[in-house]
Amino acid sequence: MEKRIIIGSDHGGFSLKTAFKNRLIENGFQVEDVGCFDEKSIHYPTIAKEVAGRISAGESEKGILICGTGIGMSIAANRFRNVRATLCHDHFTAKMAREHNNSNILVLGGRVIGEEIAFEILETWLSTEFAGGRHLERISMFDL
Ligand code: RB5
């Protein structure tokens, strides 16, 4: 597993992003934080574009985006080719996002879930492999 990850949030996800960043660094990850850097209100698409653009360009295999609900970040990130940004709410959705959808951006709603559930999602998402096979055929159908 590549131990490099790009992470970004808006103000609604800032607190959870900070907790994730610390946890990832503790676990030996090289974390590239593209902001935001405080709780001042910002426009989440700016951050979504920064992270998704880099993943789309192949700069890193995996990224994380956090806003208030995770919805805006998902919509914005999934406009980029080769980006599969998945909004996860629990262990099951995180597992399926990797196994079936080969998720390369984990999206979370910082105002929706608590920190412990979020850590569990992160752990599952990082450690679950893509199943390939019929799922590869399916994700290959995404491009227009
Ligand atoms: C910001 O108030 C909020 O709209 C944003 O964090 C996110 O939830 C958007 O989808």
Side-chain angles (χ1 to χ4, degrees):
M1 188 209 313
E2 189 187 52
K3 283 219 147 188
R4 175 168 188 261
I5 201 147
I6 306 174
I7 191 166
S9 77
D10 74 352
H11 51 289
F14 175 72
S15 159
L16 185 56
K17 174 169 71 72
T18 306
F20 266 26
K21 189 175 163 182
N22 294 337
R23 172 69 63 110
L24 286 161
I25 290 169
E26 272 166 30
N27 283 292
F29 279 81
Q30 184 198 326
V31 179
E32 190 178 343
D33 185 356
V34 304
C36 59
F37 299 107
D38 56 38
E39 286 186 329
K40 257 193 282 147
S41 180
I42 60 153
H43 300 313
Y44 62 81
T46 313
I47 300 290
K49 286 178 180 175
E50 191 66 37
V51 172
R54 288 171 191 227
I55 299 296
S56 181
E59 262 185 52
S60 173
E61 275 175 21
K62 286 187 178 149
I64 297 172
L65 283 168
I66 311 173
C67 63
T69 59
I71 296 171
M73 287 294 198
S74 304
I75 294 169
N78 278 314
R79 298 174 78 101
F80 285 76
R81 185 166 279 268
N82 298 323
V83 163
R84 292 172 300 280
T86 56
L87 176 56
C88 297
H89 296 295
D90 48 31
H91 171 80
F92 180 71
T93 49
K95 187 168 180 288
M96 289 299 107
R98 288 288 310 131
E99 266 182 29
H100 287 194
N101 312 115
N102 200 15
S103 167
N104 52 11
I105 299 185
L106 170 63
V107 188
L108 293 162
R111 292 173 178 159
V112 179
I113 51 168
E115 210 170 274
E116 288 307 317
I117 300 285
F119 283 152
E120 188 182 26
I121 291 170
L122 176 64
E123 170 71 37
T124 301
W125 186 80
L126 286 171
S127 61
T128 305
E129 294 295 328
F130 179 45
R134 67 183 186 282
H135 301 294
L136 177 60
E137 193 181 341
R138 289 169 187 166
I139 68 166
S140 305
M141 295 167 74
F142 287 158
D143 290 336
L144 301 173

